[in-house]
Amino acid sequence: MEGGGRPSAAQAALLAASTAITALLYSVYRQKARVARGLEGARKVRLDGDLRAVLLEAPGRCMPYAVIEGVVRSVKETLSSQFVENCKGVVQRLTLQEHKMVWNRTTHLWNDYEKIIHQRTNTTPFDLVPAEDGAGVTVRVMKPLDAAELSLETVYEKFHPSVQSFTDVIGHYISGERPKGIQETEQMLKVGTALTGVGELVLDNATIKLQPPKQGMPYYLSTLDFESLLQKQESSVRFWKILTVVFGFATCAVLFFLLRKQYRHHREKQHLRQMQEEFRQAQERLMNVEGGETLKNACVVCLSSTKSCVFLECGHVCSCHECYQALPEPKKCPICRQGITRVVPLYNS
């Protein structure tokens, strides 16, 4: 603590940082909890012949947040994999990712570094259809790339290591960067994949559409079933809740430490004021006795008893016998701080 009992700059910064982190974690936790509650309250509908009738009865022919499960089927032409034969899909993502080692000048270690240098995503319109053939009802999936969770299967992955000469190796050590190679990946949402869609379900003329919800809730297109998707979100909520509680306790501990320091400083100030008041009262009592003559003969240590000792070799007469006995070893004169070799009693007549 600084003078006046105020916390130091480091302590104030620690408290502010801990409070800010706790507030940020709590905000994330609230958001995750809101998403989990919204997902738990989403209306589950079956992809069958009654779906159109259910939407006709809904306000505005719309379900703001609904869960539907079906199988992916392409509307027009499918997308073919560039690397795997007879692999058809409706979403295709091609990624080139650079891998290299970067020298950390602080830790003096080589750290892995990854960077996407190129990524392209191709889509084609697709529907969700019932797993059983012959139901005759489809749901058109709109804006699949806007989904918070879009499950894509990795169908091809290959790492192309960098070829380096001896001169390149020397240059990389000097520059602090060592390229490892390029990773080429192809991910696809294949035709026939079982998909769980969570979003706004709307009947637009004759077409049933699944699209991003307008209330700010997340849009899901996941290969997990609904129960697994809900458990995943609840696990995320618990994780952020634990982090919030841990940092909240840390913030409370820092605050308690600072308040305890402040309280102790306040008690010390009160004790000091009390001692000063007692000293002032003792002076007033001595001044009121015999016109102040007693104050002149009072012990400079306790200010209550009369002087009764002569300290040698300095010759000062400043203390009573009780205060002389209480002086710490080696005993020194309270006036000049010179060592006391012997004491001679003083007799007043």
Side-chain angles (χ1 to χ4, degrees), residues 60-79:
R61 298 184 177 184
C62 173
M63 294 183 187
Y65 208 48
V67 181
I68 192 165
E69 297 178 350
V71 176
V72 174
R73 187 183 72 181
S74 178
V75 175
K76 299 179 181 179
E77 297 181 358
T78 58
L79 301 173

Side-chain angles (χ1 to χ4, degrees), residues 246-266:
V246 169
F247 275 88
F249 273 119
T251 302
C252 292
V254 173
L255 182 60
F256 174 78
F257 171 78
L258 295 180
L259 291 177
R260 181 172 176 269
K261 288 286 187 180
Q262 183 77 12
Y263 174 74
R264 292 178 61 182
H265 178 77
H266 178 69

Side-chain angles (χ1 to χ4, degrees), residues 70-226:
V71 176
V72 174
R73 187 183 72 181
S74 178
V75 175
K76 299 179 181 179
E77 297 181 358
T78 58
L79 301 173
S80 299
S81 170
Q82 293 188 4
F83 306 98
V84 182
E85 293 184 1
N86 300 322
C87 183
K88 305 290 185 179
V90 293
V91 180
Q92 179 189 48
R93 179 170 293 163
L94 301 169
T95 306
L96 291 178
Q97 190 174 37
E98 179 186 16
H99 293 258
K100 61 182 178 180
M101 303 288 289
V102 178
W103 177 255
N104 191 315
R105 302 184 186 277
T106 303
T107 61
H108 298 284
L109 296 172
W110 289 96
N111 298 328
D112 288 323
Y113 177 78
E114 300 176 358
K115 178 184 178 182
I116 296 178
I117 56 178
H118 178 73
Q119 187 175 79
R120 185 177 80 251
T121 304
N122 302 319
T123 62
T124 187
F126 67 96
D127 293 337
L128 292 181
V129 298
E132 304 82 6
D133 295 333
V137 62
T138 61
V139 173
R140 179 68 49 84
V141 178
M142 311 300 294
K143 301 180 180 179
L145 300 184
D146 290 349
E149 181 174 329
L150 176 60
S151 298
L152 300 179
E153 179 184 349
T154 301
V155 297
Y156 176 81
E157 188 173 21
K158 185 175 182 180
F159 184 76
H160 303 276
S162 300
V163 179
Q164 304 175 20
S165 64
F166 179 76
T167 305
D168 294 334
V169 173
I170 298 299
H172 296 153
Y173 271 98
I174 295 175
S175 64
E177 293 186 1
R178 289 163 42 191
K180 296 170 61 178
I182 302 295
Q183 182 172 340
E184 190 175 16
T185 306
E186 182 182 26
Q187 297 173 295
M188 295 190 72
L189 178 59
K190 295 193 293 185
V191 173
T193 301
L195 208 63
T196 300
V198 184
E200 184 182 69
L201 203 61
V202 60
L203 178 61
D204 184 8
N205 296 327
T207 305
I208 302 175
K209 296 181 179 180
L210 178 68
Q211 58 192 20
K214 297 182 176 63
Q215 293 85 359
M217 296 298 292
Y219 181 36
Y220 294 101
L221 294 173
S222 176
T223 54
L224 299 174
D225 60 81
F226 178 70

